[in-house]
Amino acid sequence: MSKHYGEHEMHANSRESEPADVTNNQSQVVYEDKYLKVTEEALVVKLYYFPTLGSRTIRWEEIEWVKMASEANIGWLGLKMWGMGFGSVWWNCKARLLNVGNSRNGRRLVNRLSDILATNIVIKVKRACIRPGSFVEHPEAAMAVIGQLLYYNHSHTE
């Protein structure tokens, strides 16, 4: 069964997200790991901008959908450790291709494509050609929260 989070026919007016931080003390963090922060106001992709490692904040109203990389038809050529591979996804900084924690004979192993696709998300921002991508430490928990917030914010903006 394919899971599509926040994929609705939504055409509300919004502008492309900016690096400005809209998350403040009043906005509750509902999920956070080293690479991604989910608040009631926005989705924050950490370690995004090159070369500063700054975060990209995307308000819920600006997001069309969020999918696991496997559901967004990402292949080997579309992946990159930081930046854009051959495709339209700009990835945050993460050694997603190399499996540094698991080694045989002292050598680094390359992660399997299925493992990479199961732990990375792709975000479709309305009226934007470039889609942000991020590694997620706990994909099921993150996607459950993201799906709820997308549904809530899209159903209240029509």
Side-chain angles (χ1 to χ4, degrees):
M1 181 171 129
S2 181
K3 299 175 190 170
H4 298 279
Y5 300 92
E7 190 167 329
H8 302 287
E9 291 187 31
M10 299 290 299
H11 302 289
N13 291 333
S14 77
R15 55 189 171 83
E16 190 171 340
S17 60
E18 300 171 354
D21 188 10
V22 297
T23 58
N24 55 33
N25 294 337
Q26 298 172 2
S27 183
Q28 181 181 0
V29 176
V30 292
Y31 173 87
E32 185 168 17
D33 63 31
K34 183 178 176 182
Y35 306 96
L36 186 73
K37 179 164 66 170
V38 180
T39 72
E40 293 175 337
E41 300 294 322
L43 189 61
V44 181
V45 181
K46 300 177 182 181
L47 307 172
Y48 187 77
Y49 288 105
F50 180 84
T52 64
L53 292 172
S55 298
R56 178 171 179 184
T57 301
I58 310 164
R59 294 176 187 90
W60 291 112
E61 309 83 59
E62 299 172 337
I63 298 174
E64 189 173 326
W65 51 255
V66 177
K67 296 179 182 178
M68 296 304 300
S70 58
E71 298 164 347
N73 298 321
I74 304 297
W76 273 117
L77 295 177
L79 295 170
K80 193 160 184 181
M81 291 195 208
W82 190 5
M84 189 178 299
F86 290 105
S88 61
V89 179
W90 180 277
W91 298 101
N92 64 344
C93 183
K94 166 71 169 107
R96 61 183 49 81
L97 303 178
L98 299 178
N99 187 358
V100 180
N102 246 342
S103 61
R104 253 186 256 153
N105 301 328
R107 296 183 188 180
R108 290 184 175 161
L109 300 176
V110 175
N111 280 323
R112 293 181 306 197
L113 181 61
S114 59
D115 294 337
I116 296 169
L117 298 180
T119 55
N120 286 272
I121 63 169
V122 176
I123 304 156
K124 173 66 173 112
V125 178
K126 295 175 185 177
R127 293 190 236 342
C129 297
I130 307 300
R131 300 176 292 165
S134 177
F135 177 80
V136 183
E137 291 178 353
H138 307 284
E140 293 84 12
M143 288 303 286
V145 171
I146 289 168
Q148 290 174 353
L149 288 167
L150 276 174
Y151 176 78
Y152 176 80
N153 284 284
H154 285 186
S155 65
H156 287 85
T157 59
E158 291 185 22

